[in-house]
Amino acid sequence: MIYLADSACAEAVRGLIDLFPIEGVTTNPTIITREKGELSALLTGMRKTIGPDMMLHVQTMQTEACAMVREAIALKDALGGNFYIKIPATAQGLKAIRLLKQQNIQVTATAIFSTQQALLCARAGADFVAPYVNKLSDICVNAIGVVGEIAQLFREFSLPTRILSASFRNVDQVNQVALMGSHAITLPVPFYDKLIYHPMTDLALEGFDKDWQGVYGEKKPGDMI
Ligand code: E4P
């Protein structure tokens, strides 16, 4: 499963990719507004930070298909590299996805709340579909079940579209969508600390350290071999 950072903060992403196996960055309009910066500087700064090979997903703010396509071309030209335009799962969005694929622009269909939205976007040619897991749970929908249905139908109909799950509140949701076959997930930068942390790991390391120091003191294996 591909891990992505849901962030518009280049500094935070730089720290994350130094440590974690991250393959790209997703943004959305809300995440961008939180940075309160000039858009061009924010996004070009992010591209510079992650380099040309990592995915960068940026959402259109247009609502009509041809305007979405024009915006996607402008963003792709400005940001270059491995670029994905995020297109909302609307009727105009479906048309935009088809037009964008004719121009070989990579597309993530976003704001997915149902299996049928995902299937339609996949048939239109989306490279990724992004179901919003916790936002579904918040309205009492079995979000993990929705991701499972999407994965099942993509397999059933041999669709190449991949699932990029977004919107999480806890590690269990992440684990459950992974088990359902989500191909990718995107998480805010601080969430990755929750994903790697386990108190038993810390306890195990404390035990090793105590035993080692009792015999060899501060010397490390590399100093002694
Ligand atoms: C999609 O772009 C975002 O990852 C998603 O909206 C985040 O959802 P949240 O606001 O529930 O964290």
Side-chain angles (χ1 to χ4, degrees):
M1 189 176 69
I2 295 170
Y3 292 101
L4 300 162
D6 208 14
S7 175
C9 176
E11 202 183 324
V13 167
R14 184 180 299 116
L16 183 73
I17 63 182
D18 185 44
L19 299 173
F20 287 76
I22 303 297
E23 294 184 45
V25 169
T26 55
T27 63
N28 68 31
T30 303
I31 287 171
I32 287 174
T33 56
R34 280 192 206 127
E35 297 306 312
K36 296 184 176 26
E38 196 260 319
L39 182 74
S40 174
L42 273 178
L43 293 178
T44 54
M46 184 63 82
R47 171 55 80 205
K48 208 171 155 197
T49 297
I50 65 176
D53 295 336
M54 280 203 198
M55 296 182 229
L56 179 57
H57 300 243
V58 181
Q59 190 163 330
T60 183
M61 285 303 291
Q62 298 290 346
T63 53
E64 186 274 324
C66 292
M68 288 183 195
V69 173
R70 282 195 296 276
E71 191 159 73
I73 292 168
L75 286 164
K76 183 178 189 285
D77 287 350
L79 300 172
N82 193 357
F83 175 79
Y84 286 79
I85 186 73
K86 290 176 72 177
I87 300 289
T90 61
Q92 288 291 324
L94 291 175
K95 178 177 173 181
I97 293 169
R98 288 204 309 280
L99 294 172
L100 286 159
K101 292 319 295 177
Q102 284 166 13
Q103 305 219 27
N104 287 322
I105 295 179
Q106 302 183 108
V107 176
T108 295
T110 194
I112 299 274
F113 285 85
S114 77
T115 308
Q116 280 303 313
Q117 284 180 316
L119 194 54
L120 282 167
C121 291
R123 291 294 297 139
D127 299 280
F128 283 105
V129 292
Y132 284 7
V133 175
N134 193 68
K135 282 184 163 71
L136 274 167
S137 298
D138 278 350
I139 54 168
C140 297
V141 173
N142 175 6
I144 308 305
V146 170
V147 173
E149 282 183 5
I150 297 170
Q152 184 186 338
L153 291 180
F154 285 5
R155 276 196 305 271
E156 188 86 15
F157 301 124
S158 304
L159 289 163
T161 308
R162 292 184 286 175
I163 303 170
L164 193 180
S165 300
S167 175
F168 293 99
R169 284 300 169 276
N170 58 62
V171 172
D172 187 52
Q173 289 171 330
V174 174
N175 198 42
Q176 293 301 322
V177 300
L179 287 167
M180 285 294 168
S182 187
H183 306 87
I185 56 154
T186 187
L187 296 171
V189 171
F191 205 115
Y192 279 96
D193 286 333
K194 288 192 203 176
L195 221 53
I196 190 64
Y197 172 73
H198 199 292
M200 290 305 290
T201 303
D202 288 358
L203 202 62
L205 294 179
E206 272 171 35
F208 290 141
D209 204 46
K210 188 163 167 272
D211 292 344
W212 185 269
Q213 285 203 25
V215 176
Y216 298 118
E218 291 303 321
K219 285 185 181 160
K220 305 290 186 235
D223 308 323
M224 299 158 64
I225 207 87

